[in-house]
């Protein structure tokens, strides 16, 4: 009987000594995988200049309201150049702003450029409301794009794009956007993002952006944890 007690006591002591050692072993946690995807942001618009205009970028597409600006083109260009020369004009209001309504915060992957397709359309008549959109489109148009990100409350320009093309009455043109972002922004998380566009050049128009057929969009390379 004494031998049995001694053996049992020894086994208890051995197990007691092993327990703390086993407790010290930490479980290995798998590192979360991070992959790069092109997040597609659609240009959206609910109204044309009214209280419900709500220009924005969204990961969700849907039906939108077209909006035609008669002064786009040479008039916009003249105002912008005058402002640059010191005239008391605020040409920034001529840049249409599309802030991201969803899909942010966003962590950039700068190994690939921001790409996209934005389709512009022009008018082919001069009477309103007899035909729509009003305004004759013709000449050498210049379309400018810039992408702005906000980090720690400060706006950072991520890049710009410019496309010059010949516009003719009733024509459409798709600008194939490509913006190579500075590598210093790689893996930087932006709490807000917006697209700004400007329709200028030595042309009358084109004053409209097509949102539905085809959809205009940006594809932004982003790091996604999964």
């Amino acid at each position: 009987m004494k031998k049995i007690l001694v053996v049992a006591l020894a086994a208890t002591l051995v197990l007691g000594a092993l327990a703390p050692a086993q407790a010290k072993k930490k479980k290995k946690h798998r590192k979360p995988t991070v992959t790069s995807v092109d997040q597609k942001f659609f240009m959206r618009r609910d109204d044309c200049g009214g209280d419900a205009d709500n220009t924005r970028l969204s990961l969700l597409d849907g039906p939108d309201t077209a909006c035609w600006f008669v002064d786009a083109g040479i008039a916009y260009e003249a105002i912008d150049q005058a402002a640059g020369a010191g005239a008391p004009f605020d040409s920034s209001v001529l840049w249409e702003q599309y802030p991201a309504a969803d899909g942010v915060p966003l962590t950039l992957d700068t190994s690939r450029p921001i790409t996209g397709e934005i389709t512009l359309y022009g008018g082919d008549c001069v009477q309103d409301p007899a035909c729509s959109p009003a305004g004759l489109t013709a000449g050498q148009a210049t379309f400018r794009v810039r992408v702005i990100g906000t980090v720690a409350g400060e706006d950072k320009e991520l890049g710009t794009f410019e496309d010059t093309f010949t516009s003719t009455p009733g024509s459409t043109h798709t600008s194939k956007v490509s913006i190579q972002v500075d590598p210093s922004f790689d893996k930087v998380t932006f709490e807000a993002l917006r697209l700004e566009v400007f329709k200028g050049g030595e042309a009358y128009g084109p004053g409209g952006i097509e949102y539905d057929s085809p959809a205009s969009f940006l594809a932004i390379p982003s790091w996604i944890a999964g």
Side-chain angles (χ1 to χ4, degrees):
M1 188 69 173
K2 288 181 180 179
K3 289 181 179 179
I4 294 173
L5 289 173
V6 170
V7 171
L9 180 60
T12 301
L13 291 173
V14 170
L15 291 173
L18 290 175
Q22 291 176 347
K24 290 179 182 178
K25 292 182 179 179
K26 293 182 179 179
K27 291 183 178 180
K28 291 184 178 180
H29 296 283
R30 292 184 178 181
K31 292 183 178 180
T33 57
V34 179
T35 56
S36 178
V37 299
D38 287 335
Q39 293 209 77
K40 192 172 184 179
F41 287 86
F42 295 95
M43 296 177 69
R44 305 292 310 276
R45 188 173 214 137
D46 295 334
D47 195 5
C48 184
D51 293 337
D53 201 339
N54 194 23
T55 54
R56 66 196 183 280
L57 295 176
S58 178
L59 299 176
L60 301 175
D61 196 10
D64 296 282
T65 298
C67 202
W68 167 263
F69 292 91
V70 177
D71 294 333
I74 194 168
Y76 277 21
E77 196 70 47
I79 294 171
D80 189 55
Q81 290 180 7
F89 302 137
D90 181 10
S91 62
S92 65
V93 299
L94 303 180
W95 287 79
E96 292 178 36
Q97 298 194 7
Y98 294 78
D102 49 52
V104 287
L106 177 146
T107 303
L108 279 180
D109 174 11
T110 62
S111 65
R112 302 189 309 283
I114 295 173
T115 58
E117 295 183 3
I118 301 176
T119 298
L120 307 170
Y121 64 86
D124 58 4
C125 58
V126 294
Q127 295 179 354
D128 185 28
C131 56
S132 180
L136 183 68
T137 296
Q140 199 75 357
T142 300
F143 181 60
R144 300 184 183 94
V145 168
R146 60 191 181 200
V147 179
I148 311 293
T150 305
V151 58
E154 184 178 353
D155 283 352
K156 304 284 187 180
E157 186 174 274
L158 304 182
T160 62
F161 170 82
E162 185 174 298
D163 184 19
T164 298
F165 57 95
T166 300
S167 182
T168 57
S171 66
T172 62
H173 174 81
T174 299
S175 289
K176 302 294 182 71
V177 177
S178 181
I179 299 173
Q180 186 60 59
V181 181
D182 192 301
S184 64
F185 290 124
D186 190 49
K187 295 183 174 65
V188 174
T189 299
F190 292 88
E191 66 255 24
L193 184 83
R194 73 178 181 273
L195 164 69
E196 298 182 355
V197 301
F198 181 90
K199 310 183 202 81
E202 301 299 318
Y204 296 96
I209 291 177
E210 180 58 58
Y211 300 106
D212 294 328
S213 301
S216 293
F217 66 88
L218 283 185
I220 302 181
S222 313
W223 294 106
I224 303 293

